[in-house]
Structures are given as structure tokens and as C-alpha cells.
Short mmCIF file of all heavy atoms in Angstrom, two decimals:
data_model
loop_
_atom_site.label_atom_id
_atom_site.label_comp_id
_atom_site.label_asym_id
_atom_site.label_seq_id
_atom_site.Cartn_x
_atom_site.Cartn_y
_atom_site.Cartn_z
N ASN H 5 126.24 96.19 111.92
CA ASN H 5 125.69 97.05 110.87
C ASN H 5 124.65 96.35 109.98
O ASN H 5 124.40 96.78 108.86
CB ASN H 5 126.81 97.61 109.98
CG ASN H 5 127.72 98.54 110.74
OD1 ASN H 5 127.26 99.28 111.62
ND2 ASN H 5 129.01 98.51 110.42
N ALA H 6 124.09 95.27 110.50
CA ALA H 6 123.12 94.54 109.67
C ALA H 6 121.91 95.39 109.33
O ALA H 6 121.34 95.27 108.25
CB ALA H 6 122.66 93.27 110.40
N LEU H 7 121.52 96.27 110.24
CA LEU H 7 120.37 97.12 110.00
C LEU H 7 120.76 98.58 109.81
O LEU H 7 119.92 99.47 109.84
CB LEU H 7 119.37 97.00 111.16
CG LEU H 7 118.83 95.58 111.40
CD1 LEU H 7 117.96 95.56 112.65
CD2 LEU H 7 118.05 95.10 110.19
N GLY H 8 122.05 98.81 109.66
CA GLY H 8 122.50 100.17 109.46
C GLY H 8 122.20 101.09 110.62
O GLY H 8 122.11 102.31 110.47
N GLY H 9 122.03 100.49 111.80
CA GLY H 9 121.74 101.29 112.97
C GLY H 9 120.29 101.72 113.07
O GLY H 9 119.90 102.39 114.02
N GLY H 10 119.47 101.34 112.09
CA GLY H 10 118.07 101.75 112.11
C GLY H 10 117.13 100.60 112.39
O GLY H 10 117.55 99.50 112.73
N ALA H 11 115.86 100.87 112.24
CA ALA H 11 114.84 99.84 112.45
C ALA H 11 114.70 98.99 111.20
O ALA H 11 114.91 99.47 110.08
CB ALA H 11 113.50 100.51 112.80
N PRO H 12 114.38 97.71 111.39
CA PRO H 12 114.20 96.85 110.21
C PRO H 12 113.01 97.31 109.37
O PRO H 12 112.02 97.81 109.90
CB PRO H 12 113.94 95.46 110.82
CG PRO H 12 113.44 95.74 112.19
CD PRO H 12 114.14 96.97 112.64
N ASN H 13 113.13 97.14 108.08
CA ASN H 13 112.07 97.52 107.15
C ASN H 13 111.42 96.25 106.62
O ASN H 13 111.91 95.62 105.69
CB ASN H 13 112.64 98.35 105.99
CG ASN H 13 111.55 98.75 105.01
OD1 ASN H 13 110.38 98.85 105.37
ND2 ASN H 13 111.94 98.97 103.76
N PHE H 14 110.33 95.84 107.26
CA PHE H 14 109.64 94.61 106.86
C PHE H 14 108.71 94.92 105.69
O PHE H 14 107.92 95.87 105.73
CB PHE H 14 108.83 94.04 108.02
CG PHE H 14 109.69 93.52 109.14
CD1 PHE H 14 109.80 94.21 110.33
CD2 PHE H 14 110.40 92.34 108.99
CE1 PHE H 14 110.58 93.74 111.37
CE2 PHE H 14 111.20 91.86 110.02
CZ PHE H 14 111.30 92.56 111.20
N VAL H 15 108.80 94.12 104.64
CA VAL H 15 107.97 94.29 103.45
C VAL H 15 107.07 93.08 103.30
O VAL H 15 107.55 91.94 103.26
CB VAL H 15 108.84 94.46 102.19
CG1 VAL H 15 107.96 94.58 100.95
CG2 VAL H 15 109.76 95.65 102.33
N ALA H 16 105.77 93.32 103.23
CA ALA H 16 104.80 92.23 103.06
C ALA H 16 104.87 91.75 101.62
O ALA H 16 104.40 92.43 100.70
CB ALA H 16 103.41 92.71 103.41
N ALA H 17 105.45 90.58 101.42
CA ALA H 17 105.62 90.05 100.07
C ALA H 17 104.71 88.86 99.79
O ALA H 17 104.67 88.36 98.67
CB ALA H 17 107.08 89.63 99.86
N ASN H 18 104.01 88.39 100.81
CA ASN H 18 103.15 87.22 100.63
C ASN H 18 101.84 87.46 101.38
O ASN H 18 101.56 86.82 102.39
CB ASN H 18 103.87 85.97 101.16
CG ASN H 18 103.08 84.70 100.90
OD1 ASN H 18 102.22 84.64 100.02
ND2 ASN H 18 103.35 83.66 101.67
N PRO H 19 101.01 88.37 100.89
CA PRO H 19 99.77 88.70 101.61
C PRO H 19 98.80 87.54 101.64
O PRO H 19 98.77 86.70 100.72
CB PRO H 19 99.20 89.88 100.81
CG PRO H 19 99.78 89.72 99.44
CD PRO H 19 101.14 89.14 99.65
N ARG H 20 98.00 87.47 102.69
CA ARG H 20 96.97 86.44 102.78
C ARG H 20 95.95 86.59 101.65
O ARG H 20 95.43 87.68 101.41
CB ARG H 20 96.22 86.57 104.10
CG ARG H 20 96.89 85.96 105.30
CD ARG H 20 96.05 86.25 106.53
NE ARG H 20 96.36 85.34 107.64
CZ ARG H 20 95.74 85.38 108.80
NH1 ARG H 20 94.80 86.30 109.02
NH2 ARG H 20 96.05 84.53 109.76
N PRO H 21 95.62 85.50 100.98
CA PRO H 21 94.57 85.59 99.95
C PRO H 21 93.19 85.46 100.58
O PRO H 21 92.93 84.52 101.34
CB PRO H 21 94.87 84.40 99.04
CG PRO H 21 95.48 83.39 99.96
CD PRO H 21 96.25 84.17 101.01
N ASP H 22 92.32 86.40 100.29
CA ASP H 22 90.95 86.28 100.78
C ASP H 22 90.19 85.22 99.99
O ASP H 22 89.50 84.38 100.55
CB ASP H 22 90.23 87.63 100.69
CG ASP H 22 88.79 87.53 101.16
OD1 ASP H 22 88.55 86.95 102.24
OD2 ASP H 22 87.90 88.01 100.44
N GLN H 23 90.33 85.26 98.67
CA GLN H 23 89.66 84.33 97.77
C GLN H 23 90.71 83.60 96.96
O GLN H 23 91.80 84.12 96.72
CB GLN H 23 88.72 85.09 96.82
CG GLN H 23 87.63 85.89 97.50
CD GLN H 23 86.51 85.02 98.04
OE1 GLN H 23 86.36 83.87 97.64
NE2 GLN H 23 85.73 85.57 98.96
N PRO H 24 90.39 82.39 96.48
CA PRO H 24 91.32 81.74 95.55
C PRO H 24 91.36 82.50 94.24
O PRO H 24 90.42 83.24 93.90
CB PRO H 24 90.70 80.34 95.36
CG PRO H 24 89.27 80.48 95.73
CD PRO H 24 89.20 81.55 96.77
N VAL H 25 92.45 82.34 93.51
CA VAL H 25 92.56 82.96 92.19
C VAL H 25 91.43 82.44 91.30
O VAL H 25 91.07 81.26 91.33
CB VAL H 25 93.93 82.62 91.57
CG1 VAL H 25 94.02 83.11 90.13
CG2 VAL H 25 95.05 83.23 92.41
N ASN H 26 90.86 83.33 90.51
CA ASN H 26 89.77 82.95 89.61
C ASN H 26 90.27 81.95 88.57
O ASN H 26 91.19 82.25 87.80
CB ASN H 26 89.22 84.20 88.92
CG ASN H 26 88.01 83.89 88.03
OD1 ASN H 26 87.52 82.76 88.00
ND2 ASN H 26 87.55 84.89 87.32
N VAL H 27 89.68 80.77 88.55
CA VAL H 27 90.14 79.72 87.63
C VAL H 27 89.28 79.63 86.38
O VAL H 27 89.55 78.83 85.49
CB VAL H 27 90.19 78.35 88.34
CG1 VAL H 27 91.22 78.34 89.44
CG2 VAL H 27 88.81 77.95 88.87
N GLY H 28 88.22 80.43 86.31
CA GLY H 28 87.39 80.46 85.12
C GLY H 28 86.64 79.16 84.89
O GLY H 28 86.45 78.34 85.79
N GLY H 29 86.20 78.96 83.66
CA GLY H 29 85.49 77.74 83.29
C GLY H 29 84.05 77.72 83.75
O GLY H 29 83.54 78.68 84.34
N ASP H 30 83.39 76.61 83.49
CA ASP H 30 82.01 76.43 83.92
C ASP H 30 81.84 75.26 84.88
O ASP H 30 80.73 74.91 85.26
CB ASP H 30 81.07 76.28 82.72
CG ASP H 30 81.65 75.41 81.62
OD1 ASP H 30 82.39 74.46 81.94
OD2 ASP H 30 81.36 75.68 80.45
#
């Protein structure tokens, strides 16, 4: 019963970053 008889529900919790986080400054 680990999946309750259904299909697993995968949740994307760590998406690929396209750009680095904006660090500001000059």
C-alpha cells in the first residue's frame, strides 16, 4: 500500500536554474 494502489505522484521540488540568482551590486 505504499502508493495506495495508484501511480506515484512525482513533484518537481528542485527545478533546474537557468540563471544564477541575482546577486546585485556593481
Side-chain angles (χ1 to χ4, degrees):
N5 294 324
L7 300 175
N13 179 27
F14 292 106
V15 178
N18 185 21
R20 278 177 160 181
D22 178 48
Q23 301 285 341
V25 173
N26 184 5
V27 296
D30 41 33

